[in-house]
């Protein structure tokens, strides 16, 4: 034991100890700086905002920054096709260069969905079902019938049945019963009404159908254009028509 203590006091021990400490320090520093170099500590990029951009614009931004990208697609109704709707990582995230950014774009091709059974459903029920299946309510017309429910559905003029495959987002036109059967309805006076006012008066007020809409002269503002002609028009000899009869209107800004 005494010899060991004596050895600890020798110059040789001190030199070996200093050498060992220096070696450890050098190894630690080498490892530290190597790791910094390998991970490029303090170097990186802030992910740009890509959501809402056209796909080509997003790709251009990523390529300028040296970032890679991968693309997935979804279909979102009423969103423009080719637009970035999501990105991962999100904008402002700090990443290393050459990092892969995942983009989700809105595709122009709408997927198909099965048409629901809306026959003999009320208008409110039918509209809710259409929307839940990804469809939209188009025009509604009425025909003489004691029921007020949906009697027929059509897409682009073609009658459709439950179970048919249609592109999501399709507008579905409905034929409803007027609840009056063959009862005659008074012809409304539409002259001077705007388009929206006339449609309301025809469909909701008189339970008739909107026919052909035409325009006369230069239309400077369609919202303020008013009805200047209608067919049929109430006269002394013609006051009523059958429920569901179409009324044609002509609009003008004059």
């Amino acid at each position: 034991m005494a010899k060991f203590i004596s050895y600890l006091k020798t110059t040789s021990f001190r030199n070996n100890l200093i050498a060992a400490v220096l070696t450890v320090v050098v190894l630690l520093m080498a490892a530290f700086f190597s790791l910094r170099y390998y991970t490029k500590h303090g170097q990186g990029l802030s992910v740009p905002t890509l959501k809402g951009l056209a796909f080509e614009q997003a790709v251009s931004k990523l390529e300028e920054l040296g970032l890679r990208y991968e693309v997935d697609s979804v279909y979102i109704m009423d969103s423009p096709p080719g637009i970035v709707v999501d990105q991962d990582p999100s904008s402002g995230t700090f990443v290393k260069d050459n990092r892969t950014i995942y983009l989700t774009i809105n595709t122009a091709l709408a997927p198909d969905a099965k048409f629901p059974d809306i026959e003999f459903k009320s208008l409110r029920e039918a509209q809710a079902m259409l929307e839940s299946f990804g469809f939209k309510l188009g025009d509604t017309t009425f025909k003489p019938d004691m029921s007020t429910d949906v009697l027929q559905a059509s897409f682009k003029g073609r009658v459709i049945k439950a179970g048919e495959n249609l592109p999501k987002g399709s507008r579905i036109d409905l034929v409803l019963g007027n609840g009056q059967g063959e009862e005659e309805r008074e012809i409304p006076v539409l002259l001077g009404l705007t388009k929206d006012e006339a449609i309301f008066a025809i469909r909701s007020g008189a339970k008739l159908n909107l026919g052909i809409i035409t325009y006369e002269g230069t239309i400077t503002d369609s919202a303020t254009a008013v009805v200047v002609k209608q067919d049929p028009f109430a006269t002394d000899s013609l006051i009523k028509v059958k429920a569901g009869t179409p009324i044609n209107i002509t609009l003008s800004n004059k």
Side-chain angles (χ1 to χ4, degrees), residues 141-149 151 175-185 207-209 241-246:
T141 56
F142 298 89
K143 66 179 293 186
D145 195 276
M146 295 305 296
S147 168
T148 59
D149 295 336
L151 303 178
V175 176
L176 306 170
N178 59 16
Q180 306 295 328
E182 294 291 339
E183 180 181 339
E184 291 188 333
R185 309 290 293 180
K207 295 295 183 183
L208 299 173
N209 287 328
V241 292
K242 287 185 178 181
T245 297

Side-chain angles (χ1 to χ4, degrees), residues 188-194 197-199 201-202 226-230 232-233 247-249:
V189 177
L190 306 175
L191 301 182
L193 299 183
T194 64
E197 291 171 339
I199 292 175
I202 292 170
V226 296
V227 177
V228 293
K229 296 177 185 177
Q230 70 176 81
F233 181 77
I247 306 294
N248 303 321
I249 60 174

Side-chain angles (χ1 to χ4, degrees), residues 86-159:
D86 198 11
Q87 66 178 91
D88 182 31
S90 57
S91 60
T93 303
F94 191 75
V95 299
K96 305 299 180 185
D97 56 4
N98 207 35
R99 168 74 182 272
T100 298
I101 308 300
Y102 298 91
L103 303 177
T104 303
I105 64 170
N106 188 37
T107 179
L109 183 62
D112 285 347
K114 286 190 179 299
F115 187 70
D117 185 4
I118 61 173
E119 194 172 2
F120 304 120
K121 298 289 193 302
S122 69
L123 177 59
R124 180 175 295 181
E125 289 177 305
Q127 184 172 4
M129 291 179 68
L130 289 174
E131 292 175 352
S132 68
F133 278 75
F135 301 112
K136 292 182 177 181
L137 177 63
D139 290 332
T140 56
T141 56
F142 298 89
K143 66 179 293 186
D145 195 276
M146 295 305 296
S147 168
T148 59
D149 295 336
V150 175
L151 303 178
Q152 182 178 287
S154 61
F155 172 61
K156 293 184 176 179
R158 179 177 65 85
V159 176

Side-chain angles (χ1 to χ4, degrees), residues 1-2 4 10 12 25 45 56 84 92 112 148 176 180 193 210 222 233 247:
M1 185 66 180
F4 179 71
T10 63
S12 175
V25 171
L45 301 167
E56 294 78 8
V84 177
D112 285 347
T148 59
L176 306 170
Q180 306 295 328
L193 299 183
L210 176 66
S222 59
F233 181 77
I247 306 294

Side-chain angles (χ1 to χ4, degrees):
M1 185 66 180
K3 288 183 178 181
F4 179 71
I5 294 174
S6 298
Y7 172 72
L8 294 178
K9 297 178 180 179
T10 63
T11 302
S12 175
F13 172 76
R14 288 196 300 270
N15 291 339
N16 288 337
L17 180 61
I18 293 171
V21 172
L22 290 175
T23 300
V24 171
V25 171
V26 169
L27 289 174
L28 289 175
M29 291 182 66
F32 175 73
F33 285 108
S34 295
L35 184 62
R36 283 172 61 93
Y37 176 78
Y38 178 75
T39 60
K40 298 182 180 179
H41 181 73
Q43 299 179 29
L45 301 167
S46 178
V47 178
T49 300
L50 306 171
K51 191 173 180 180
L53 296 180
F55 175 65
E56 294 78 8
Q57 293 175 306
V59 168
S60 178
K61 277 195 171 187
L62 292 175
E63 290 178 343
E64 287 177 4
L65 296 172
L67 296 171
R68 296 178 296 171
Y69 63 91
E70 289 188 13
V71 182
D72 195 7
S73 62
V74 296
Y75 176 74
I76 301 177
M77 194 165 33
D78 297 327
S79 289
I83 297 297
V84 177
V85 295
D86 198 11
Q87 66 178 91
D88 182 31
S90 57
S91 60
T93 303
F94 191 75
V95 299
K96 305 299 180 185
D97 56 4
N98 207 35
R99 168 74 182 272
T100 298
I101 308 300
Y102 298 91
L103 303 177
T104 303
I105 64 170
N106 188 37
T107 179
L109 183 62
D112 285 347
K114 286 190 179 299
F115 187 70
D117 185 4
I118 61 173
E119 194 172 2
F120 304 120
K121 298 289 193 302
S122 69
L123 177 59
R124 180 175 295 181
E125 289 177 305
Q127 184 172 4
M129 291 179 68
L130 289 174
E131 292 175 352
S132 68
F133 278 75
F135 301 112
K136 292 182 177 181
L137 177 63
D139 290 332
T140 56
T141 56
F142 298 89
K143 66 179 293 186
D145 195 276
M146 295 305 296
S147 168
T148 59
D149 295 336
V150 175
L151 303 178
Q152 182 178 287
S154 61
F155 172 61
K156 293 184 176 179
R158 179 177 65 85
V159 176
I160 51 178
K161 297 295 184 181
E164 289 190 42
N165 287 320
L166 296 174
K168 281 190 174 183
S170 299
R171 291 189 175 275
I172 308 300
D173 299 328
L174 302 180
V175 176
L176 306 170
N178 59 16
Q180 306 295 328
E182 294 291 339
E183 180 181 339
E184 291 188 333
R185 309 290 293 180
E186 288 189 7
I187 300 172
V189 177
L190 306 175
L191 301 182
L193 299 183
T194 64
K195 176 182 174 181
D196 289 341
E197 291 171 339
I199 292 175
F200 181 81
I202 292 170
R203 291 177 174 171
S204 301
K207 295 295 183 183
L208 299 173
N209 287 328
L210 176 66
I212 300 172
I213 300 176
T214 56
Y215 293 90
E216 185 177 276
T218 302
I219 304 301
T220 56
D221 185 356
S222 59
T224 60
V226 296
V227 177
V228 293
K229 296 177 185 177
Q230 70 176 81
D231 181 33
F233 181 77
T235 64
D236 292 338
S237 59
L238 180 63
I239 300 175
K240 294 183 177 182
V241 292
K242 287 185 178 181
T245 297
I247 306 294
N248 303 321
I249 60 174
T250 300
L251 298 166
S252 176
N253 277 131
K254 293 180 179 179

